[in-house]
PDB file of all heavy atoms in Angstrom:
ATOM      1  N   ARG A 137     -14.601  36.877  11.881  1.00  0.00           N
ATOM      2  CA  ARG A 137     -13.957  36.390  13.104  1.00  0.00           C
ATOM      3  C   ARG A 137     -14.230  34.909  13.345  1.00  0.00           C
ATOM      4  O   ARG A 137     -13.647  34.306  14.240  1.00  0.00           O
ATOM      5  CB  ARG A 137     -14.435  37.212  14.304  1.00  0.00           C
ATOM      6  CG  ARG A 137     -14.006  38.676  14.269  1.00  0.00           C
ATOM      7  CD  ARG A 137     -14.700  39.498  15.331  1.00  0.00           C
ATOM      8  NE  ARG A 137     -16.139  39.578  15.098  1.00  0.00           N
ATOM      9  CZ  ARG A 137     -16.987  40.279  15.830  1.00  0.00           C
ATOM     10  NH1 ARG A 137     -16.521  40.975  16.859  1.00  0.00           N
ATOM     11  NH2 ARG A 137     -18.277  40.300  15.563  1.00  0.00           N
ATOM     12  N   SER A 138     -15.119  34.329  12.539  1.00  0.00           N
ATOM     13  CA  SER A 138     -15.478  32.917  12.691  1.00  0.00           C
ATOM     14  C   SER A 138     -14.689  32.054  11.713  1.00  0.00           C
ATOM     15  O   SER A 138     -14.407  32.467  10.586  1.00  0.00           O
ATOM     16  CB  SER A 138     -16.978  32.725  12.439  1.00  0.00           C
ATOM     17  OG  SER A 138     -17.303  31.351  12.354  1.00  0.00           O
ATOM     18  N   THR A 139     -14.341  30.832  12.141  1.00  0.00           N
ATOM     19  CA  THR A 139     -13.640  29.916  11.237  1.00  0.00           C
ATOM     20  C   THR A 139     -14.513  29.497  10.067  1.00  0.00           C
ATOM     21  O   THR A 139     -14.005  29.009   9.060  1.00  0.00           O
ATOM     22  CB  THR A 139     -13.187  28.653  11.996  1.00  0.00           C
ATOM     23  OG1 THR A 139     -14.319  28.079  12.671  1.00  0.00           O
ATOM     24  CG2 THR A 139     -12.118  28.974  13.015  1.00  0.00           C
ATOM     25  N   ASP A 140     -15.817  29.695  10.173  1.00  0.00           N
ATOM     26  CA  ASP A 140     -16.734  29.356   9.085  1.00  0.00           C
ATOM     27  C   ASP A 140     -16.971  30.514   8.127  1.00  0.00           C
ATOM     28  O   ASP A 140     -17.799  30.401   7.219  1.00  0.00           O
ATOM     29  CB  ASP A 140     -18.090  28.902   9.652  1.00  0.00           C
ATOM     30  CG  ASP A 140     -18.072  27.449  10.083  1.00  0.00           C
ATOM     31  OD1 ASP A 140     -17.133  26.729   9.686  1.00  0.00           O
ATOM     32  OD2 ASP A 140     -18.990  27.030  10.812  1.00  0.00           O
ATOM     33  N   PHE A 141     -16.246  31.615   8.293  1.00  0.00           N
ATOM     34  CA  PHE A 141     -16.453  32.779   7.441  1.00  0.00           C
ATOM     35  C   PHE A 141     -16.287  32.413   5.963  1.00  0.00           C
ATOM     36  O   PHE A 141     -15.289  31.815   5.558  1.00  0.00           O
ATOM     37  CB  PHE A 141     -15.457  33.880   7.810  1.00  0.00           C
ATOM     38  CG  PHE A 141     -15.429  35.014   6.827  1.00  0.00           C
ATOM     39  CD1 PHE A 141     -16.530  35.839   6.669  1.00  0.00           C
ATOM     40  CD2 PHE A 141     -14.302  35.259   6.053  1.00  0.00           C
ATOM     41  CE1 PHE A 141     -16.517  36.896   5.764  1.00  0.00           C
ATOM     42  CE2 PHE A 141     -14.274  36.311   5.148  1.00  0.00           C
ATOM     43  CZ  PHE A 141     -15.379  37.127   5.000  1.00  0.00           C
ATOM     44  N   GLY A 142     -17.302  32.783   5.166  1.00  0.00           N
ATOM     45  CA  GLY A 142     -17.221  32.559   3.731  1.00  0.00           C
ATOM     46  C   GLY A 142     -17.407  31.126   3.294  1.00  0.00           C
ATOM     47  O   GLY A 142     -17.285  30.815   2.107  1.00  0.00           O
ATOM     48  N   LYS A 143     -17.701  30.239   4.229  1.00  0.00           N
ATOM     49  CA  LYS A 143     -17.911  28.834   3.887  1.00  0.00           C
ATOM     50  C   LYS A 143     -19.400  28.545   3.719  1.00  0.00           C
ATOM     51  O   LYS A 143     -20.241  29.225   4.309  1.00  0.00           O
ATOM     52  CB  LYS A 143     -17.341  27.921   4.968  1.00  0.00           C
ATOM     53  CG  LYS A 143     -15.833  27.971   5.088  1.00  0.00           C
ATOM     54  CD  LYS A 143     -15.332  27.045   6.183  1.00  0.00           C
ATOM     55  CE  LYS A 143     -13.818  27.113   6.319  1.00  0.00           C
ATOM     56  NZ  LYS A 143     -13.326  26.241   7.415  1.00  0.00           N
ATOM     57  N   ILE A 144     -19.695  27.542   2.923  1.00  0.00           N
ATOM     58  CA  ILE A 144     -21.068  27.104   2.720  1.00  0.00           C
ATOM     59  C   ILE A 144     -21.303  25.897   3.623  1.00  0.00           C
ATOM     60  O   ILE A 144     -20.590  24.907   3.532  1.00  0.00           O
ATOM     61  CB  ILE A 144     -21.325  26.728   1.251  1.00  0.00           C
ATOM     62  CG1 ILE A 144     -20.992  27.919   0.339  1.00  0.00           C
ATOM     63  CG2 ILE A 144     -22.769  26.284   1.048  1.00  0.00           C
ATOM     64  CD1 ILE A 144     -20.911  27.544  -1.123  1.00  0.00           C
ATOM     65  N   LYS A 145     -22.294  26.002   4.494  1.00  0.00           N
ATOM     66  CA  LYS A 145     -22.579  24.916   5.433  1.00  0.00           C
ATOM     67  C   LYS A 145     -23.978  24.370   5.175  1.00  0.00           C
ATOM     68  O   LYS A 145     -24.962  25.105   5.188  1.00  0.00           O
ATOM     69  CB  LYS A 145     -22.475  25.420   6.872  1.00  0.00           C
ATOM     70  CG  LYS A 145     -22.770  24.348   7.912  1.00  0.00           C
ATOM     71  CD  LYS A 145     -22.706  24.927   9.322  1.00  0.00           C
ATOM     72  CE  LYS A 145     -23.088  23.883  10.360  1.00  0.00           C
ATOM     73  NZ  LYS A 145     -23.126  24.448  11.728  1.00  0.00           N
ATOM     74  N   ILE A 146     -24.034  23.071   4.911  1.00  0.00           N
ATOM     75  CA  ILE A 146     -25.308  22.368   4.769  1.00  0.00           C
ATOM     76  C   ILE A 146     -25.254  21.158   5.695  1.00  0.00           C
ATOM     77  O   ILE A 146     -24.488  20.222   5.456  1.00  0.00           O
ATOM     78  CB  ILE A 146     -25.566  21.922   3.317  1.00  0.00           C
ATOM     79  CG1 ILE A 146     -25.585  23.133   2.378  1.00  0.00           C
ATOM     80  CG2 ILE A 146     -26.898  21.169   3.215  1.00  0.00           C
ATOM     81  CD1 ILE A 146     -25.768  22.784   0.924  1.00  0.00           C
ATOM     82  N   GLY A 147     -26.032  21.195   6.743  1.00  0.00           N
ATOM     83  CA  GLY A 147     -25.951  20.132   7.747  1.00  0.00           C
ATOM     84  C   GLY A 147     -24.604  20.192   8.440  1.00  0.00           C
ATOM     85  O   GLY A 147     -24.184  21.231   8.936  1.00  0.00           O
ATOM     86  N   ASN A 148     -23.910  19.069   8.455  1.00  0.00           N
ATOM     87  CA  ASN A 148     -22.579  19.006   9.059  1.00  0.00           C
ATOM     88  C   ASN A 148     -21.459  19.122   8.023  1.00  0.00           C
ATOM     89  O   ASN A 148     -20.289  18.906   8.346  1.00  0.00           O
ATOM     90  CB  ASN A 148     -22.414  17.683   9.830  1.00  0.00           C
ATOM     91  CG  ASN A 148     -23.319  17.621  11.043  1.00  0.00           C
ATOM     92  OD1 ASN A 148     -23.548  18.635  11.699  1.00  0.00           O
ATOM     93  ND2 ASN A 148     -23.848  16.445  11.335  1.00  0.00           N
ATOM     94  N   THR A 149     -21.812  19.432   6.790  1.00  0.00           N
ATOM     95  CA  THR A 149     -20.836  19.515   5.707  1.00  0.00           C
ATOM     96  C   THR A 149     -20.542  20.972   5.373  1.00  0.00           C
ATOM     97  O   THR A 149     -21.443  21.796   5.286  1.00  0.00           O
ATOM     98  CB  THR A 149     -21.357  18.802   4.441  1.00  0.00           C
ATOM     99  OG1 THR A 149     -21.678  17.447   4.766  1.00  0.00           O
ATOM    100  CG2 THR A 149     -20.310  18.821   3.343  1.00  0.00           C
ATOM    101  N   ARG A 150     -19.255  21.272   5.206  1.00  0.00           N
ATOM    102  CA  ARG A 150     -18.823  22.627   4.867  1.00  0.00           C
ATOM    103  C   ARG A 150     -18.024  22.610   3.576  1.00  0.00           C
ATOM    104  O   ARG A 150     -17.212  21.709   3.361  1.00  0.00           O
ATOM    105  CB  ARG A 150     -17.972  23.212   5.995  1.00  0.00           C
ATOM    106  CG  ARG A 150     -18.749  23.514   7.270  1.00  0.00           C
ATOM    107  CD  ARG A 150     -17.805  23.872   8.396  1.00  0.00           C
ATOM    108  NE  ARG A 150     -18.504  24.353   9.582  1.00  0.00           N
ATOM    109  CZ  ARG A 150     -19.054  23.578  10.491  1.00  0.00           C
ATOM    110  NH1 ARG A 150     -19.015  22.254  10.339  1.00  0.00           N
ATOM    111  NH2 ARG A 150     -19.666  24.092  11.546  1.00  0.00           N
ATOM    112  N   TRP A 151     -18.257  23.617   2.746  1.00  0.00           N
ATOM    113  CA  TRP A 151     -17.490  23.788   1.512  1.00  0.00           C
ATOM    114  C   TRP A 151     -16.718  25.098   1.587  1.00  0.00           C
ATOM    115  O   TRP A 151     -17.289  26.157   1.847  1.00  0.00           O
ATOM    116  CB  TRP A 151     -18.417  23.820   0.291  1.00  0.00           C
ATOM    117  CG  TRP A 151     -18.937  22.492  -0.126  1.00  0.00           C
ATOM    118  CD1 TRP A 151     -18.337  21.583  -0.957  1.00  0.00           C
ATOM    119  CD2 TRP A 151     -20.177  21.897   0.265  1.00  0.00           C
ATOM    120  NE1 TRP A 151     -19.130  20.467  -1.106  1.00  0.00           N
ATOM    121  CE2 TRP A 151     -20.269  20.633  -0.373  1.00  0.00           C
ATOM    122  CE3 TRP A 151     -21.226  22.312   1.088  1.00  0.00           C
ATOM    123  CZ2 TRP A 151     -21.359  19.795  -0.198  1.00  0.00           C
ATOM    124  CZ3 TRP A 151     -22.311  21.481   1.264  1.00  0.00           C
ATOM    125  CH2 TRP A 151     -22.370  20.231   0.617  1.00  0.00           C
ATOM    126  N   ASP A 152     -15.413  25.005   1.360  1.00  0.00           N
ATOM    127  CA  ASP A 152     -14.550  26.179   1.317  1.00  0.00           C
ATOM    128  C   ASP A 152     -14.132  26.393  -0.132  1.00  0.00           C
ATOM    129  O   ASP A 152     -13.389  25.588  -0.698  1.00  0.00           O
ATOM    130  CB  ASP A 152     -13.319  25.965   2.209  1.00  0.00           C
ATOM    131  CG  ASP A 152     -12.398  27.175   2.227  1.00  0.00           C
ATOM    132  OD1 ASP A 152     -12.701  28.175   1.547  1.00  0.00           O
ATOM    133  OD2 ASP A 152     -11.362  27.121   2.915  1.00  0.00           O
ATOM    134  N   VAL A 153     -14.599  27.467  -0.744  1.00  0.00           N
ATOM    135  CA  VAL A 153     -14.343  27.719  -2.167  1.00  0.00           C
ATOM    136  C   VAL A 153     -13.173  28.678  -2.376  1.00  0.00           C
ATOM    137  O   VAL A 153     -12.911  29.086  -3.519  1.00  0.00           O
ATOM    138  CB  VAL A 153     -15.603  28.298  -2.853  1.00  0.00           C
ATOM    139  CG1 VAL A 153     -16.773  27.341  -2.728  1.00  0.00           C
ATOM    140  CG2 VAL A 153     -15.974  29.664  -2.277  1.00  0.00           C
ATOM    141  N   TRP A 154     -12.448  29.005  -1.323  1.00  0.00           N
ATOM    142  CA  TRP A 154     -11.455  30.075  -1.414  1.00  0.00           C
ATOM    143  C   TRP A 154     -10.031  29.599  -1.646  1.00  0.00           C
ATOM    144  O   TRP A 154      -9.109  30.416  -1.726  1.00  0.00           O
ATOM    145  CB  TRP A 154     -11.523  30.940  -0.162  1.00  0.00           C
ATOM    146  CG  TRP A 154     -12.851  31.604  -0.012  1.00  0.00           C
ATOM    147  CD1 TRP A 154     -13.854  31.261   0.843  1.00  0.00           C
ATOM    148  CD2 TRP A 154     -13.347  32.711  -0.774  1.00  0.00           C
ATOM    149  NE1 TRP A 154     -14.941  32.091   0.680  1.00  0.00           N
ATOM    150  CE2 TRP A 154     -14.656  32.995  -0.313  1.00  0.00           C
ATOM    151  CE3 TRP A 154     -12.823  33.498  -1.797  1.00  0.00           C
ATOM    152  CZ2 TRP A 154     -15.433  34.016  -0.834  1.00  0.00           C
ATOM    153  CZ3 TRP A 154     -13.599  34.512  -2.315  1.00  0.00           C
ATOM    154  CH2 TRP A 154     -14.878  34.766  -1.843  1.00  0.00           C
ATOM    155  N   GLY A 155      -9.811  28.314  -1.734  1.00  0.00           N
ATOM    156  CA  GLY A 155      -8.484  27.813  -2.098  1.00  0.00           C
ATOM    157  C   GLY A 155      -7.362  28.199  -1.158  1.00  0.00           C
ATOM    158  O   GLY A 155      -6.238  28.485  -1.600  1.00  0.00           O
ATOM    159  N   GLY A 156      -7.634  28.232   0.135  1.00  0.00           N
ATOM    160  CA  GLY A 156      -6.571  28.521   1.100  1.00  0.00           C
ATOM    161  C   GLY A 156      -6.430  29.983   1.481  1.00  0.00           C
ATOM    162  O   GLY A 156      -5.571  30.336   2.291  1.00  0.00           O
ATOM    163  N   PHE A 157      -7.261  30.876   0.934  1.00  0.00           N
ATOM    164  CA  PHE A 157      -7.178  32.297   1.258  1.00  0.00           C
ATOM    165  C   PHE A 157      -8.088  32.686   2.419  1.00  0.00           C
ATOM    166  O   PHE A 157      -7.827  33.658   3.116  1.00  0.00           O
ATOM    167  CB  PHE A 157      -7.544  33.139   0.031  1.00  0.00           C
ATOM    168  CG  PHE A 157      -6.538  33.055  -1.064  1.00  0.00           C
ATOM    169  CD1 PHE A 157      -6.752  32.242  -2.168  1.00  0.00           C
ATOM    170  CD2 PHE A 157      -5.357  33.785  -1.007  1.00  0.00           C
ATOM    171  CE1 PHE A 157      -5.823  32.159  -3.179  1.00  0.00           C
ATOM    172  CE2 PHE A 157      -4.421  33.704  -2.015  1.00  0.00           C
ATOM    173  CZ  PHE A 157      -4.649  32.889  -3.115  1.00  0.00           C
TER     174      PHE A 157
END
Side-chain angles (χ1 to χ4, degrees):
R137 294 170 295 183
S138 170
T139 53
D140 278 345
F141 170 66
K143 293 180 181 178
I144 303 167
K145 180 182 176 184
I146 301 177
N148 293 324
T149 304
R150 291 171 172 82
W151 284 274
D152 181 0
V153 301
W154 298 104
F157 291 101

